[in-house]
Amino acid sequence: MDRFVSTYTMRLDAKGRVSIPAPFRAVLAKDGAESLHCHPSLAEPALDAGGSRLLGEIEDLIARYPPYSEAREQLATALYGTSESLRIDPEGRVVLTETQKAHAGIGDHVAFVGLGHKFRMWEPDRLKAHLAEATRRVRELRQAIGSQAEGPKGSPA
Amino acid sequence: MDRFVSTYTMRLDAKGRVSIPAPFRAVLAKDGAESLHCHPSLAEPALDAGGSRLLGEIEDLIARYPPYSEAREQLATALYGTSESLRIDPEGRVVLTETQKAHAGIGDHVAFVGLGHKFRMWEPDRLKAHLAEATRRVRELRQAIGSQAEGPKGSPA
DNA sequence: TGGGAGATCATGGGCGTCAATGGATTGGTG
DNA sequence: CACCAATCCATTGACGCCCATGATCTCCCA
């Protein structure tokens, strides 16, 4: 398995350490990551994290803009500047910074959500609310689609 | 780790010395830098700094313009003429010049922001404001990036 | 099919090391 | 002789590393 899949909820210990779920550690190891690259999600109160694939994606994005251009420097500031390269201890744990925990509202538990080439860390309750909202929207979307495609008689006016 | 990543805020002591964050020192060491090359940011009240990778980038940028062209000489003046090669003491500290501190409005604290191949030094409060703006811009760019396959590329500066 | 040994994993705590900072000392120089 | 600056030394506090403990899971074999 070379992608981050599924969701795991882990506990922070008294020192603020959190175990990265073992399956995610395996993906990171295969990816050749020594540390966990981590930055605030752009649109969510959560943290995006990953290994060299995530870093490569960010680098490519920035490299599209010419050196010293305003867009490039803003991208670099927002993406690199707010990133943390978290050290992974011998037991596979990391310590989130206060800034990161504040951004995601994380207290003593963290939910790890696999997103393929990266994963996302949430405060568990916020994740639950986020999922509820997401599924609600998907249902609406399906209904809209369904009433268009399936309605043999009632095509939408 | 071969990039400057994350943000660190450090304190100047009574002699004006400030520690370069240890992770940044590690990048500089890998880069083979003995001193810290440092110049005012072109568009911000901040200081850009780095090692030989930064020097290489500056050289490439200037080399794009024909010798004796006005653009070239202006760039060379702005990037080389205002540069300082700061000595790094055995504890990993540097002393900023008065000119540099004035340009960035730096008092007794400096925020070091990683930008990948270089990093930037800010007065901490100014960084906060700038970061908010950069984050806003990146959110806008994100939508454009999501909808178009290719980003802008090419024309210098 | 049930039991049990071994392995894996999440978690807790103690300790040594290093980084950040402050101050003292020494050497060069006008 | 005095001042500036660069190296050296010392302190404190955080953080990384090591080892320990349960608890769960896997797999093998009776």
Side-chain angles (χ1 to χ4, degrees):
Chain A
M1 187 67 72
D2 54 349
R3 321 176 182 196
F4 300 104
V5 288
S6 185
T7 297
Y8 305 88
T9 298
M10 310 297 279
R11 174 194 170 89
L12 280 77
D13 68 17
K15 292 182 174 181
R17 297 176 296 191
V18 193
S19 290
I20 301 172
F24 286 11
R25 290 207 300 266
V27 178
L28 289 170
K30 196 165 290 185
D31 183 60
E34 300 166 0
S35 59
L36 183 67
H37 192 84
C38 185
H39 68 87
S41 303
L42 290 181
E44 311 288 350
L47 305 167
D48 283 15
S52 47
R53 281 179 68 188
L54 176 61
L55 257 172
E57 186 183 87
I58 293 171
E59 189 174 36
D60 289 348
L61 191 58
I62 292 174
R64 291 181 179 185
Y65 298 85
Y68 290 98
S69 65
E70 188 185 12
R72 180 183 179 131
E73 306 222 314
Q74 284 182 332
L75 264 177
T77 300
L79 294 179
Y80 280 137
T82 61
S83 289
E84 302 282 346
S85 195
L86 300 180
R87 207 175 324 270
I88 302 176
D89 79 8
E91 284 75 37
R93 293 175 288 194
V94 295
V95 179
L96 301 178
T97 67
E98 285 306 316
T99 305
Q100 290 175 326
K101 286 193 280 189
H103 176 79
I106 289 169
D108 54 2
H109 287 271
V110 183
F112 292 75
V113 183
L115 296 179
H117 67 291
K118 66 183 177 186
F119 62 87
R120 193 161 280 177
M121 290 178 271
W122 288 84
E123 194 284 319
D125 288 338
R126 288 194 184 183
L127 172 62
K128 213 153 90 185
H130 178 75
L131 286 178
E133 173 66 11
T135 47
R136 191 182 64 74
R137 287 201 181 157
V138 170
R139 278 202 198 102
E140 286 177 6
L141 194 59
R142 285 186 66 187
Q143 287 207 331
I145 294 168
S147 61
Q148 284 178 348
E150 291 178 357
K153 315 170 187 176
S155 72
Chain B
M1 188 210 321
D2 53 350
R3 303 167 165 84
F4 299 105
V5 161
S6 185
T7 298
Y8 305 88
T9 299
M10 310 297 278
R11 175 194 173 92
L12 281 78
D13 68 17
K15 296 181 179 179
R17 297 176 297 190
V18 61
S19 290
I20 301 172
F24 287 10
R25 291 207 299 266
V27 177
L28 289 170
K30 197 166 291 185
D31 184 60
E34 299 165 0
S35 59
L36 183 67
H37 192 83
C38 185
H39 68 85
S41 304
L42 293 182
E44 310 290 348
L47 305 167
D48 283 15
S52 48
R53 281 180 70 188
L54 174 60
L55 274 167
E57 184 189 84
I58 292 171
E59 198 173 320
D60 290 348
L61 186 64
I62 291 176
R64 290 187 182 188
Y65 297 86
Y68 296 101
S69 66
E70 185 158 342
R72 180 176 180 139
E73 307 228 310
Q74 283 177 345
L75 264 179
T77 301
L79 293 176
Y80 282 138
T82 60
S83 288
E84 302 280 348
S85 195
L86 300 179
R87 182 187 0 264
I88 301 175
D89 81 6
E91 282 76 36
R93 292 176 287 195
V94 294
V95 178
L96 302 177
T97 67
E98 285 306 317
T99 305
Q100 289 174 327
K101 286 194 280 189
H103 176 78
I106 288 169
D108 55 1
H109 286 271
V110 182
F112 292 76
V113 184
L115 298 180
H117 65 291
K118 66 182 176 186
F119 62 88
R120 191 163 279 179
M121 290 177 271
W122 288 84
E123 193 285 317
D125 288 337
R126 289 192 185 181
L127 170 63
K128 211 159 118 187
H130 179 76
L131 192 57
E133 172 65 12
T135 304
R136 194 182 61 72
R137 273 291 302 275
V138 169
R139 291 215 176 101
E140 290 174 6
L141 281 174
R142 174 175 170 268
Q143 314 218 325
I145 290 160
S147 52
Q148 61 183 119
E150 291 286 331
K153 184 167 188 162
S155 63

